[in-house]
C-alpha cells in the first residue's frame, strides 16, 4: 500500500477526480469534506448538504473512506467575519484566499498529521515541486492558463507544500470531465460552483445586513474636489473601478475612484485614466520561492484573479511585512483588500494584500 494521503473533497468533479487519480498512482487515499457553513436552504452553494452527500457517494464508488470535519466556527472567525469587516471599511476582500489559507491548508494540514496521514491533496489546478537549486518547495501555475488556480494558493507555506499533492495541475478542465465520465463518477456532469459559498446569490449588501443585524447607512457620491453629486446606496455596494450599477447618472460614464468608509463617501471620476496606477503597496506578504525580499526583484504581478500578469519590480515596503510594486505600465483599478500575486514565469514568488496606491505609514 502506498503513502497515506487525505484528499479535501468538496463534492465537485475536480476534487473527485483528484482522489481518483491518486488512487491510480498507488496512494492510500482517504476523502475528507469540510463543513464550513450552514446554508439556509441546505442544498445550494459550496459545502452544502448535497455536496457532502456527493463527496461521500464518490468515496463509496472509489472504495475509500470518507470523513467530515466541522470547521464552521473557524470559518466564521477567519473567513466570514474578515470578509464583512473589509467590506464595511470600503475594501474588496477575497474570502476564497482566506479559506485556503486558514482552513483548507492551514487547519487541514495540522488535522491530517493528528490522524496519522503523511500527505494532503486538493483539486486545485496548480503544481508544486522541490527546487534543488534553491532548497525550497515551489508553487507553480497549472499547465493550462485558462484554469490555473495558483493565484488563490499564494499563502501556502514551505511545510504545507512539502506535504501537498496537486494531481490536476497537468490537466485541462475538459480532460478532467472526461476522466470523471470514464470512471463513472456520479459528479461527472455536476456544474462548477461560481459564487462565494456563504453568499450564493451574490448579494453582498444583503448578506452584510443579515450578518450585522442592521441596515447599513446610505452615503454621498462626491467628485475629486469633494463636491456632492448625489446619494449612494452605501459603500458596501461599490468597488474601485466600478462603472455599472452605480445608481447615479452624470450624463457620461463615471467610475468609482476612491471609497472613504469614515466619511461614508464614494468618489467618482469621469476620466477612466484616473483609475490607473504605476505603484501599488501590499501588506501581509507571504514568500514562497524566496525566503524574503531583500532588494529589487523583477516579476510579473496579478492584482486580481482574472487579471493578466504585468511586468513590475518588487521592492521591500516602508513597514515590516509590506512590499512596493512598481509596474512598467500603469494598471487599472488596484483595489485595497484584493490580493497581488507575484510570478517569475510559472513559479509563484509570493503574494500580498493590496493596501493602497499611496505609501503606508504604519
Amino acid at each position: 500500500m502506498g503513502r497515506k494521503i487525505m484528499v479535501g473533497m468538496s463534492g465537485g468533479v475536480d476534487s473527485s477526480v483528484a482522489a481518483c487519480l491518486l488512487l491510480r498512482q498507488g496512494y492510500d487515499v482517504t476523502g475528507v469534506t469540510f463543513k464550513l457553513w450552514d446554508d439556509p436552504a441546505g442544498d445550494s452553494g459550496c459545502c452544502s448538504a448535497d455536496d457532502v452527500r456527493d463527496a461521500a457517494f464518490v468515496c463509496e464508488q472509489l472504495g475509500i473512506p470518507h470523513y467530515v470535519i466541522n470547521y464552521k466556527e473557524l470559518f466564521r472567525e477567519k473567513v466570514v467575519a474578515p470578509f464583512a469587516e473589509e467590506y464595511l471599511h470600503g475594501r474588496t476582500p477575497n474570502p476564497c484566499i482566506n479559506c485556503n489559507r486558514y482552513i483548507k491548508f492551514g487547519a487541514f494540514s495540522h488535522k491530517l498529521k493528528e490522524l496519522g496521514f503523511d500527505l494532503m491533496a486538493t483539486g486545485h489546478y496548480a503544481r508544486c515541486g522541490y527546487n534543488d537549486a534553491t532548497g525550497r518547495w515551489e508553487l507553480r501555475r497549472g499547465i493550462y492558463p485558462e484554469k490555473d488556480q495558483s493565484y488563490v494558493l499564494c499563502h501556502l507555506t514551505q511545510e504545507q507544500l512539502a506535504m501537498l499533492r496537486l494531481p490536476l495541475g497537468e490537466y485541462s478542465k475538459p480532460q478532467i470531465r472526461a476522466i470523471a465520465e470514464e470512471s463513472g463518477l456520479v459528479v461527472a456532469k455536476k456544474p462548477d460552483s461560481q459564487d462565494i459559498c456563504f453568499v450564493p446569490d451574490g448579494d453582498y449588501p444583503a448578506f452584510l445586513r443579515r450578518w450585522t443585524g442592521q441596515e447599513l447607512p446610505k452615503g454621498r457620491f462626491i467628485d475629486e474636489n469633494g463636491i456632492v453629486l448625489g446619494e449612494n446606496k452605501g459603500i458596501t455596494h461599490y468597488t474601485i473601478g466600478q462603472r455599472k450599477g452605480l445608481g447615479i447618472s452624470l450624463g457620461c460614464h463615471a467610475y468609482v475612484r476612491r471609497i472613504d468608509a469614515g466619511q461614508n463617501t464614494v468618489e467618482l471620476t469621469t476620466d477612466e485614466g484616473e483609475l490607473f496606477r504605476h505603484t501599488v503597496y501590499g501588506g501581509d506578504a507571504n514568500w514562497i520561492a524566496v525566503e524574503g525580499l531583500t532588494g529589487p526583484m523583477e516579476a510579473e504581478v496579478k492584482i486580481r484573479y482574472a487579471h493578466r500578469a504585468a511586468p513590475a519590480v518588487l521592492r521591500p515596503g516602508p513597514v515590516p511585512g509590506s512590499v512596493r510594486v512598481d509596474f512598467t505600465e500603469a494598471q487599472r483599478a488596484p483595489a485595497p483588500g484584493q490580493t497581488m500575486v507575484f510570478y517569475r514565469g510559472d513559479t509563484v514568488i509570493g503574494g500580498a494584500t493590496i493596501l493602497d496606491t499611496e505609501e503606508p505609514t504604519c
Side-chain angles (χ1 to χ4, degrees):
M1 186 66 73
R3 296 181 72 186
K4 296 179 67 176
I5 189 166
M6 184 170 274
V7 184
M9 298 183 67
S10 66
V13 65
D14 294 333
S15 56
S16 297
V17 172
C20 184
L21 290 173
L22 290 165
L23 270 177
R24 294 181 185 179
Q25 293 168 18
Y27 288 95
D28 180 2
V29 181
T30 293
V32 61
T33 303
F34 307 134
K35 188 61 180 172
L36 304 179
W37 185 254
D38 286 324
D39 178 65
D43 59 0
S44 65
C46 173
C47 310
S48 67
D50 276 357
D51 289 327
V52 174
R53 285 193 293 269
D54 286 344
F57 192 75
V58 168
C59 287
E60 184 178 342
Q61 285 186 291
L62 296 175
I64 63 175
H66 176 256
Y67 299 99
V68 178
I69 299 178
N70 187 336
Y71 281 134
K72 289 191 291 186
E73 287 304 313
L74 187 63
F75 186 74
R76 288 174 65 90
E77 175 191 349
K78 295 295 188 180
V79 181
V80 185
F83 169 87
E85 192 70 13
E86 287 286 274
Y87 259 110
L88 292 172
H89 283 82
R91 295 185 284 268
T92 307
N94 191 322
C96 294
I97 287 180
N98 273 350
C99 185
N100 286 328
R101 181 180 185 179
Y102 295 110
I103 312 290
K104 293 180 180 176
F105 295 96
F108 183 29
S109 64
H110 292 293
K111 189 66 174 181
L112 68 89
K113 285 186 287 188
E114 290 177 15
L115 297 174
F117 286 80
D118 306 305
L119 302 168
M120 63 179 175
T122 68
H124 287 95
Y125 290 80
R127 297 172 294 152
C128 57
Y130 189 74
N131 186 325
D132 290 319
T134 63
R136 296 185 68 81
W137 286 90
E138 292 183 343
L139 173 67
R140 300 164 189 152
R141 297 178 192 264
I143 290 292
Y144 293 87
E146 67 275 9
K147 192 57 181 174
D148 169 51
Q149 293 176 306
S150 59
Y151 174 91
V152 298
L153 305 180
C154 67
H155 277 285
L156 285 170
T157 66
Q158 288 293 297
E159 181 183 13
Q160 291 161 2
L161 282 164
M163 65 176 70
L164 178 62
R165 300 294 181 268
L166 296 170
L168 305 195
E170 306 283 340
Y171 293 88
S172 68
K173 184 70 179 200
Q175 289 173 325
I176 292 302
R177 290 277 184 195
I179 293 171
E181 296 225 19
E182 293 163 8
S183 304
L185 299 184
V186 68
V187 296
K189 296 184 184 297
K190 186 174 181 178
D192 293 337
S193 177
Q194 299 294 331
D195 298 305
I196 295 173
C197 62
F198 55 91
V199 197
D201 61 0
D203 190 343
Y204 300 163
F207 170 79
L208 291 169
R209 287 196 296 272
R210 294 192 299 272
W211 179 261
T212 62
Q214 59 185 333
E215 288 294 323
L216 303 178
K218 296 179 179 180
R220 296 166 297 159
F221 285 119
I222 61 172
D223 67 11
E224 60 271 23
N225 297 312
I227 296 174
V228 176
L229 302 173
E231 184 180 72
N232 70 52
K233 294 177 286 187
I235 62 171
T236 59
H237 287 79
Y238 309 99
T239 189
I240 303 297
Q242 181 177 337
R243 178 174 71 85
K244 296 182 179 180
L246 296 180
I248 188 173
S249 177
L250 300 180
C252 58
H253 290 327
Y255 308 86
V256 175
R257 183 175 182 271
R258 182 178 287 113
I259 298 171
D260 187 329
Q263 298 297 318
N264 200 20
T265 57
V266 175
E267 181 183 320
L268 301 180
T269 180
T270 56
D271 179 4
E272 189 174 10
E274 288 290 315
L275 304 177
F276 286 78
R277 298 288 183 270
H278 272 104
T279 299
V280 182
Y281 290 89
D284 192 25
N286 180 60
W287 302 103
I288 299 176
V290 296
E291 187 172 348
L293 190 64
T294 58
M297 176 185 294
E298 293 184 352
E300 301 86 47
V301 180
K302 294 181 70 168
I303 58 172
R304 48 187 162 268
Y305 182 76
H307 181 253
R308 179 178 295 178
V313 175
L314 313 180
R315 293 181 171 86
V319 296
S322 70
V323 56
R324 171 177 171 151
V325 180
D326 293 307
F327 288 96
T328 303
E329 296 183 1
Q331 301 299 300
R332 186 187 187 279
Q338 284 287 288
T339 298
M340 293 187 288
V341 178
F342 318 129
Y343 294 85
R344 180 174 290 163
D346 283 343
T347 301
V348 177
I349 301 170
T353 303
I354 295 176
L355 299 176
D356 207 336
T357 53
E358 297 175 358
E359 185 169 314
T361 57
C362 62

